Amino acid sequence: MSTLDPAIAARLKRSADGLVPAVVQQHGTGEVLMLGWMDDEALARTLTSGRATYWSRSRQEYWVKGETSGNRQWVRGVRLDCDGDALLVTVEQEGPACHTGDRTCFDADVLLAEGADG
């Protein structure tokens, strides 16, 4: 078990279930890959290991991205937003980021295409 730096922990604004959303972005290109959830332990593990670690709300357990699929995320940076209620994690993604096999979790359903006339 890792311990999150108390100065970082004090800045986090967590949901009722103790989680903070983590927007995951491809290092270098800015492509948004996925959204994960982190609690203090997942964030501490991410910061110390260099591997993206999340809390699975459905399985109620920690998971290291790519541990079983091989589609690893190597953490290049972690930022906390100005309100302390969201994280931005930049990674080098190996393979697809989405569990469906898509490059990103935002490939399937385009609700409004860029450049669409309105």
Side-chain angles (χ1 to χ4, degrees):
M1 185 168 214
S2 303
T3 303
L4 186 61
D5 179 327
I8 296 170
R11 295 185 57 207
L12 292 177
K13 292 182 186 163
R14 300 160 192 82
S15 65
D17 50 3
L19 301 174
V20 177
V23 176
V24 183
Q25 193 176 46
Q26 175 64 43
H27 174 74
T29 68
E31 177 183 30
V32 177
L33 300 174
M34 59 174 274
L35 174 73
W37 294 91
M38 293 184 178
D39 64 2
D40 289 22
E41 177 65 18
L43 179 55
R45 290 181 187 188
T46 297
L47 294 172
T48 57
S49 72
R51 294 284 309 280
T53 304
Y54 305 99
W55 176 254
S56 171
R57 296 180 301 164
S58 59
R59 295 187 312 268
Q60 295 290 296
E61 65 184 15
Y62 295 104
W63 57 282
V64 177
K65 182 68 174 169
E67 193 170 55
T68 57
S69 68
N71 299 322
R72 295 173 188 86
Q73 291 178 341
W74 302 98
V75 177
R76 297 296 177 243
V78 179
R79 294 175 182 235
L80 181 61
D81 81 337
C82 60
D83 294 325
D85 60 2
L87 297 162
L88 177 63
V89 182
T90 54
V91 302
E92 289 290 343
Q93 177 69 46
E94 286 183 10
C98 190
H99 70 280
T100 65
D102 286 336
R103 168 80 185 144
T104 85
C105 293
F106 297 97
D107 281 348
D109 294 309
V110 178
L111 304 181
L112 178 65
E114 290 185 44
D117 293 351

